[in-house]
Amino acid sequence: SSGINAKYGDEVLWALAEQLGHFIPLVGGPEHASCLLAPLENLATVEETVVREKATESLKMIAAEHSPADIEKHFAPLVKRLSQGEWFTSRTSACGLYAVCYPHVSISLKKELRL
């Protein structure tokens, strides 16, 4: 039935969200980790809470490996997009990411993130 497919679909998305956080060495190291942000950003907007939480955890892991310049160039725009999302799902995920992003960006970007 479709309920079973939805259940397994969520499990697959959860596993994907978990594994992507560990892919930094597989994509060539921290300087290439930004390529992992797009799929995790998508996962951070899904309806299933456990998938969003796992995507947010993985995004935090990637942010910890980013240089301040990469946080400003790649991660902060992601947080901003999530926080401006139409649905609560993306905004909820953004809330969990501000703390890892905000301390590492310029004063002007901090002001922009507060808006």
Side-chain angles (χ1 to χ4, degrees):
S1 89
S2 63
I4 292 173
N5 289 337
K7 177 183 180 220
Y8 291 121
D10 289 340
E11 289 176 6
V12 169
L13 293 177
W14 181 88
L16 182 59
E18 179 184 39
Q19 290 303 310
L20 284 171
H22 301 285
F23 273 29
I24 294 171
L26 303 175
V27 298
E31 60 273 9
H32 302 289
S34 61
C35 72
L36 299 170
L37 298 180
L40 285 166
E41 181 177 357
N42 287 332
L43 290 168
T45 66
V46 300
E47 189 174 346
E48 182 56 47
T49 303
V50 295
V51 175
R52 282 195 323 271
E53 289 173 350
K54 191 53 72 175
T56 301
E57 281 179 36
S58 287
L59 283 165
K60 288 177 182 178
M61 291 171 59
I62 292 169
E65 298 287 325
H66 266 34
S67 68
D70 283 340
I71 288 205
E72 190 147 330
K73 182 177 179 184
H74 301 289
F75 200 83
L78 175 147
V79 174
K80 191 172 179 186
R81 283 191 304 275
L82 286 173
S83 66
Q84 294 172 343
E86 183 177 346
W87 300 99
F88 79 93
T89 54
S90 65
R91 294 190 304 265
T92 301
S93 295
C95 290
L97 298 172
Y98 270 95
V100 296
C101 172
Y102 194 81
H104 304 286
V105 298
S106 66
I107 292 170
S108 62
L109 190 51
K110 284 179 181 177
K111 185 177 180 180
E112 196 176 314
L113 287 171
R114 288 193 302 262
L115 297 178

